[in-house]
Amino acid sequence: EIVLTQSPTTTAASPGEKVTITCLASSSVSNMYWYQQKSGASPKLLIYSTSSLASGVPDRFSGSGSGTSYSLTINTMEAEDAATYYCQQWSSNPITFGSGTKLEIK
Amino acid sequence: QIQLVQSGPELKKPGESVKISCKASGYTFTDYAMHWVKQVPGKGLKWMGWINTYTGKPTYADDFKGRFVFSLEASASTANLQISNLKNEDTANVFCASQGFAYWGQGTLVTVSS
């Protein structure tokens, strides 16, 4: 099973600040997927195939990486971005998720 | 528009069974796999497995073999998850997801308590 380790576990950012969340895989994966989950809601797909923006997602979100190291970047933090973010890999069975990064607004 | 609508919350006793449904609309049901994801309140996401909506073949993650059954009512564009011999640790929000996890149901909270 591929273990995905996210960092940081918790972070806070001021409006307008740049935020980067990292996801390290225990073995190489071909792509990474990123989800946003707000309290009481279902996860929402943000980024697919490492760097492609899902439909309707603001372009302040971006994804990058390869091999075992991937990242999600929010270029300019907005209050509505406060949520928990998860990475996910499908390259290897079973599908696994990272443990999540809680992002708060300062 | 594409929607996945799940059945309502369930309160069960240990040892009982529960069946959760996920009704899809807005697309051809048999074109995309249906995945199931567990989330213990306040914790992260855990993939339970998936069902091929064309063939009906289920695939279970290791932690979900034995008491968990994925099934279909393809004519009703509905996927089902049945959990038998419920345990306290089955208390969780369970989501269905399709089209490469682009679409998610609203979640079904299963509470197991004596």
Side-chain angles (χ1 to χ4, degrees):
Chain A
E1 172 175 319
I2 292 180
V3 176
L4 302 179
T5 303
Q6 287 185 233
S7 62
T9 303
T10 306
T11 189
S14 302
E17 195 174 337
K18 184 175 181 177
V19 177
T20 298
I21 297 169
T22 297
C23 181
L24 296 181
S26 59
S27 298
S28 182
V29 298
S30 54
N31 277 299
M32 195 62 71
Y33 298 76
W34 292 92
Y35 299 84
Q36 176 193 68
Q37 187 179 31
K38 296 186 178 180
S39 182
S42 306
K44 173 187 173 183
L45 178 66
L46 292 178
I47 301 286
Y48 64 95
S49 298
T50 300
S51 58
S52 297
L53 216 57
S55 177
V57 174
D59 61 7
R60 63 180 180 274
F61 289 91
S62 63
S64 64
S66 65
T68 60
S69 182
Y70 292 83
S71 63
L72 171 71
T73 299
I74 305 172
N75 219 23
T76 50
M77 176 74 180
E78 295 196 8
E80 66 182 28
D81 300 335
T84 300
Y85 293 83
Y86 295 94
C87 56
Q88 179 206 39
Q89 67 80 27
W90 302 4
S91 297
S92 172
N93 190 46
I95 292 173
T96 51
F97 290 90
S99 54
T101 294
K102 185 173 183 180
L103 173 60
E104 298 171 331
I105 188 83
K106 278 185 189 172
Chain B
Q1 77 281 23
I2 294 170
Q3 278 192 299
L4 300 177
V5 178
Q6 298 183 226
S7 49
E10 301 273 5
L11 176 59
K12 295 290 185 181
K13 291 180 165 46
E16 293 184 338
S17 296
V18 68
K19 189 172 186 178
I20 300 163
S21 66
C22 171
K23 182 170 176 60
S25 60
Y27 71 98
T28 301
F29 181 70
T30 51
D31 281 353
Y32 298 93
M34 189 68 75
H35 295 264
W36 292 93
V37 176
K38 176 182 178 179
Q39 186 171 40
V40 173
K43 302 296 184 184
L45 303 168
K46 189 173 179 79
W47 180 71
M48 301 174 73
W50 67 285
I51 186 164
N52 183 317
T53 54
Y54 186 75
T55 65
K57 180 185 174 185
T59 299
Y60 302 95
D62 283 349
D63 286 349
F64 300 97
K65 290 178 179 175
R67 298 186 297 115
F68 299 81
V69 176
F70 305 149
S71 63
L72 301 175
E73 296 170 49
S75 60
S77 299
T78 298
N80 300 305
L81 164 62
Q82 182 157 347
I83 311 172
S84 59
N85 189 20
L86 283 162
K87 304 177 187 304
N88 290 329
E89 53 264 38
D90 292 324
T91 294
N93 214 354
V94 177
F95 298 96
C96 58
S98 188
Q99 297 203 26
F101 296 90
Y103 297 94
W104 293 66
Q106 82 276 22
T108 297
L109 180 62
V110 177
T111 303
V112 183
S113 174
S114 53

